[in-house]
Amino acid sequence: MKKLIKKIFFLCFLFAIPMFAEEYYEVVVLGGGPGALTSALYLGRFGLRPVVIEGGLPGGLISQSHLVQNWPGEAGISGLQLIEKLHSQAEENGSVFLAEEVIDVDFSKRPYTFTTRDLLHPEKVRKIVASFCIIAMGTRPNRLGVPGEEDYWGKGVANCAVCDGPLYQDKVVAIIGGGDAALLEADYLSEIASKVYIFIRKDSFRSREEQRKKKIVDRPNVEVRYLTTIKEIGGNKDQVTHVIVKNQGKEEKIPLDGIFLAIGATPNSHIFEKKLALDPKGFIQVGRDLQTSVPGVYAIGDIIDPIYKQAISAAGDGAKAAISAHKEWLSIPKKELAKKGGKEPSINRLKVEEVQSLSQLQKIIKESKVPVVADFYASWCAPCKMIAPLFEEKANEVEKSFRFIKVNIDILDNSYHIQSMPTVILFKEGKEVTRKVGTSEISNFLQNLF
């Protein structure tokens, strides 16, 4: 009897909330893709009020897919639309979402501590405490590591066709890679570009979808180059103009306007090194119930899966992990846990001016008496949606010193040379003085804008 009482006391101690904790949740979900959102949905319906730390790419890699045709019940849906549906359903069932990224974890004692950083305000760092965790942080796209790649990133080199593909209407582009991801990019880009090269390092595709492969390869504007490697990416300082490839010992300079990488991915597991068991390639190791080497910490989706890498398998993992976590939660005696509030109060803000036409944009830039900050965005661009709150916040902060406007690229011709999204341009006295591309560059620029 004494041993049982001691055990119950010890378990209750494990789940006690440290006084210094900023915020406590029963479960933290790390990631924002289909697996994370499915976990959040199940956990919310179990009444566990999960907090979802979405990370740097809300929605995960599938949010960049222009067309998903293998999600059950959907004959065809964009990745972004699918994520929006899952996100709404999880939120309606009690999930809390934070636009933050986890930068450190402490699994040495339970409840566990997670240090997060606000994506739009990098100086804001806080700690969140939770008794359970589901890791769904996926993978990050690989880079080529060749000369010119970094110089022209966002200036013709990208890894998201659905984000930047519409900017290459009737232009020549290349896709690097021979897997299913490369075929998806080619399928989309071949409907937009005048010419699509597919450069494959090996002598065949690695795709499992034979029907899709045949359909794409047979298109008249698609050319496949096997046994071909990229040696260098070149341009005119402002944008990509060509690529140098090597095939069977011979080098060739091929003129083109854009390059899209689809060469695999690396698991986002670096912050878990020496804290969880990983395999030699960095994938998190789990058991049958998807629990990691630390009790109460589960991992799902691409971060544990070097083989299937499917949205639907990640979602299945998410359901399993949530059920496993809930089962463990029910089995442990707990006393009532005090929780601090979750969401910041809403603030009434002025709306950023939306430009309706190219002529209006040109007039604003020419006639404005203060510098103009223009956010060039697209409705299908997930990172654009991520930048929008920070852009609006900064517009209110420096209202009299700058004029903030939003420009949907659908109203543009090519006069402003937008090659990647989101793009923010600062104009002074009718001339462009600064251009920033991507969420990181734009966030830093806005933070330092006075």
Side-chain angles (χ1 to χ4, degrees), residues 34-36 38-40 42-43 134 290 300-301 313-323:
T38 304
S39 285
Y42 273 70
L43 293 165
I134 295 179
L290 297 170
I300 65 173
S313 58
D317 284 351
K320 292 178 185 178
I323 292 169

Side-chain angles (χ1 to χ4, degrees), residues 42 48 51 53 61 63 66 81 92 98 164 202 218-219 221 269 277 307 330 332 334 340 355 360 367 373 389 440:
Y42 273 70
L48 293 183
V51 60
I53 310 298
L61 292 177
S63 67
H66 79 288
Q81 288 175 321
E92 288 167 4
L98 299 179
D164 300 337
K202 297 184 178 181
D218 288 345
R219 289 179 180 169
N221 65 333
S269 59
I307 300 173
L330 289 174
I332 299 175
K334 296 166 286 295
K340 296 176 70 175
V355 174
Q360 182 190 1
E367 299 179 0
V373 184
S440 180

